């Protein structure tokens, strides 16, 4: 079974926008804290943004004012809206989520499969 499924990556020109989605499987899991990470070629993986279940957000300085993380708890989905994209935003983006399975109390950490974002003219 797939716990987290990412979508929305692609090729975009500088200044363009993309929206990434990260969805948990049906209603079997509940997402608590969640975040987006990215890893560019030759670079260390970095945290881009986080969001708590209550909606509190944090962003890396490099994306503040350009990216927005959000969530729809009814859909068990986390989003990353990316505006004013720059070539340096090019990376594989990964969703990470702290999740609890229905009927259980233990929290587990899951990763999405990754989606490529390429910003180039």
């Amino acid at each position: 079974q797939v716990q987290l499924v990412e979508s929305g990556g692609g090729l975009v020109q500088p200044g363009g926008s993309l929206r990434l989605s990260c969805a948990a499987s049906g209603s079997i899991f509940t997402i608590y804290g969640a975040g987006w990470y990215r890893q560019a070629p030759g670079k260390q993986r970095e945290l881009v943004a986080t969001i708590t279940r209550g909606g509190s957000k944090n962003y890396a300085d490099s994306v503040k004012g350009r990216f927005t993380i959000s969530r729809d708890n009814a859909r068990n989905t986390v989003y990353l809206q990316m505006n004013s994209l720059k070539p340096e935003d090019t990376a594989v983006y990964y969703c990470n989520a702290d999740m609890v399975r229905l009927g259980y109390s233990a929290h587990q950490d899951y990763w999405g499969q990754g989606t490529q974002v390429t910003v180039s003219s």
Side-chain angles (χ1 to χ4, degrees), residues 56-93:
S56 181
K57 305 170 184 179
N58 282 291
Y59 298 94
D61 288 341
S62 59
V63 306
K64 285 182 179 178
R66 299 189 298 120
F67 290 11
T68 302
I69 189 171
S70 62
R71 65 189 297 161
D72 185 338
N73 289 340
R75 292 179 176 270
N76 278 342
T77 302
V78 180
Y79 304 95
L80 184 68
Q81 178 67 45
M82 304 184 293
N83 299 325
S84 301
L85 283 162
K86 304 174 181 179
E88 50 263 47
D89 295 318
T90 296
V92 177
Y93 284 71

Side-chain angles (χ1 to χ4, degrees), residues 9-121:
L11 175 64
V12 65
Q13 295 182 354
S17 298
L18 286 172
R19 188 179 75 160
L20 307 183
S21 297
C22 176
S25 300
S27 59
I28 297 175
F29 293 93
T30 297
I31 299 175
Y32 282 76
W36 288 94
Y37 293 76
R38 67 186 182 186
Q39 188 163 21
K43 298 287 187 177
Q44 195 171 5
R45 186 185 68 182
E46 65 173 342
L47 181 64
V48 175
T50 62
I51 187 168
T52 68
R53 182 163 177 80
S56 181
K57 305 170 184 179
N58 282 291
Y59 298 94
D61 288 341
S62 59
V63 306
K64 285 182 179 178
R66 299 189 298 120
F67 290 11
T68 302
I69 189 171
S70 62
R71 65 189 297 161
D72 185 338
N73 289 340
R75 292 179 176 270
N76 278 342
T77 302
V78 180
Y79 304 95
L80 184 68
Q81 178 67 45
M82 304 184 293
N83 299 325
S84 301
L85 283 162
K86 304 174 181 179
E88 50 263 47
D89 295 318
T90 296
V92 177
Y93 284 71
Y94 297 93
C95 178
N96 175 256
D98 168 34
M99 301 199 297
V100 176
R101 189 181 180 92
L102 181 65
Y104 291 77
S105 61
H107 289 238
Q108 292 184 303
D109 191 64
Y110 292 96
W111 290 90
Q113 80 279 10
T115 185
Q116 177 71 47
V117 172
T118 302
V119 185
S120 177
S121 59

